[in-house]
Amino acid sequence: MKWTNDRSGNFDDRRGSGGGGGMLVGGGLGTIIIAAIVFFLGGDPSAILNNGASSSQQTEQRQLSKEELSVGEFISMLTAENEETWNKIFQENGIQFTPAKVVAFERATQSGCGPAQSEMGPFYCPADQTIYMDMSFFNELQQKFGAKVGQFTVAYVLGHEYGHHIQTLLGTTQKVNQLRGRYSESEMNKVSVATELQADFYAGLWAKQTDNREKFLEPGDIQEAMSAAAAVGDDNIQKRAQGYVNQESFTHGSSAQREEWFMKGYNSGDIRQGDTFNALLR
């Protein structure tokens, strides 16, 4: 993909700062609450829930390499392009837009939803309206889940997490939260799938509208997004982890569904076409 000249003031690069030190992660109620938040917003809480004993992580301060600095520039650019595109979409629909913050970290840092760890994967925290990303996730995406990782893979993942921010601004996240305790686990799994697929739709919509403005897509970019979407489908993850698929336990959607809704956002370019809840829950 082509780089633009835009950079965001809402990007916080904590890599190399030692900012993750001294955080305690235990196995008590606080851990379960944090894990629940991560579960509903697109991360993997298993690393937290499986950590029965308290542990601390300390990262030493260090200078970032040229490659790491370049990655920071790239994330800042993607953040800016999300801001510009979504601000335009919101203006067209008469809605007030507030940008999210994006934090890059390594190993661990503090979030508004509690301690963030690299094992959780990229996630969005509605409490501080911030996206947290440890870039080592993309190595695992390729090595463990078989995705073809390139620059637009990162763009897709950030676009998906920014989609969760859009859901918070539109009140979708709050409505989903109100269903907890009222719906059964299987019903909440279906709601979670609809939530995640809508974030995929928003990522596709962002890609289309940004390309209309910036012409930043190159051949193969959309295929990279499709590869990542397929890699993080519940069926692919379950097959690799346990050798079989249990559709009732899906929380993010199948590989085919994730590809379908990203492409629906991309092909339509219309935010009104992204009602996954009516499409999947009726």
Side-chain angles (χ1 to χ4, degrees):
M1 60 178 293
K2 297 177 181 177
W3 287 39
T4 71
N5 294 323
D6 298 325
R7 300 293 183 272
S8 174
N10 290 309
F11 173 60
D12 179 9
D13 195 344
R14 299 180 187 174
R15 297 171 301 160
S17 67
M23 293 187 304
L24 295 178
V25 180
L29 181 59
T31 300
I32 295 173
I33 293 173
I34 294 167
I37 293 172
V38 174
F39 172 84
F40 279 104
L41 298 176
D44 177 11
S46 60
I48 297 177
L49 291 175
N50 293 335
N51 185 6
S54 295
S55 64
S56 64
Q57 296 193 26
Q58 182 71 46
T59 55
E60 297 180 357
Q61 293 188 4
R62 64 179 181 85
Q63 294 292 323
L64 297 180
S65 68
K66 289 183 179 180
E67 291 78 10
E68 288 172 321
L69 291 172
S70 179
V71 168
E73 284 288 305
F74 183 59
I75 299 298
S76 181
M77 179 198 77
L78 292 176
T79 303
E81 297 307 336
N82 271 278
E83 291 168 353
E84 189 166 347
T85 294
W86 284 111
N87 186 52
K88 178 177 179 292
I89 294 172
F90 272 48
Q91 283 184 344
E92 292 172 349
N93 289 275
I95 308 170
Q96 180 68 35
F97 175 75
T98 303
K101 290 182 172 59
V102 177
V103 170
F105 70 97
E106 54 186 355
R107 295 182 59 188
T109 193
Q110 193 68 26
S111 81
C113 294
Q117 293 179 303
S118 58
E119 293 89 349
M120 293 159 59
F123 71 96
Y124 169 77
C125 173
D128 57 7
Q129 297 193 2
T130 301
I131 296 164
Y132 293 87
M133 298 177 68
D134 185 323
M135 302 308 294
S136 66
F137 165 78
F138 295 96
N139 293 329
E140 296 212 359
L141 190 62
Q142 179 168 289
Q143 295 168 5
K144 291 187 177 181
F145 300 110
K148 178 184 176 183
V149 173
Q151 289 186 344
F152 200 74
T153 309
V154 181
Y156 158 68
V157 171
L158 181 59
H160 173 93
E161 298 306 332
Y162 220 99
H164 287 307
H165 177 61
I166 300 305
Q167 291 172 325
T168 295
L169 296 182
L170 296 178
T172 306
T173 303
Q174 296 85 332
K175 291 178 181 178
V176 169
N177 289 342
Q178 291 171 359
L179 300 178
R180 298 181 191 177
R182 296 166 50 191
Y183 278 26
S184 67
E185 180 180 354
S186 62
E187 289 173 329
M188 281 308 303
N189 284 347
K190 294 178 182 178
V191 172
S192 177
V193 167
T195 303
E196 296 300 328
L197 294 180
Q198 187 176 66
D200 280 333
F201 173 89
Y202 288 156
L205 172 62
W206 167 79
K208 181 68 169 184
Q209 297 246 4
T210 304
D211 189 53
N212 288 343
R213 187 184 72 251
E214 296 286 354
K215 304 300 179 186
F216 77 146
L217 291 178
E218 294 181 315
D221 284 344
I222 297 301
Q223 286 74 15
E224 285 182 5
M226 292 296 91
S227 177
V232 294
D234 283 320
D235 50 346
N236 182 57
I237 292 174
Q238 288 184 0
K239 282 179 184 178
R240 290 174 179 269
Q242 61 194 25
Y244 63 92
V245 174
N246 178 10
Q247 189 170 349
E248 289 188 0
S249 67
F250 283 6
T251 57
H252 288 62
S254 69
S255 297
Q257 285 178 311
R258 300 201 70 164
E259 293 180 75
E260 174 190 355
W261 280 97
F262 175 91
M263 289 307 302
K264 187 171 183 179
Y266 180 78
N267 289 327
S268 72
D270 182 4
I271 193 173
R272 294 169 295 182
Q273 302 300 314
D275 189 351
T276 55
F277 295 91
N278 275 331
L280 297 170
L281 302 179
R282 62 189 177 187

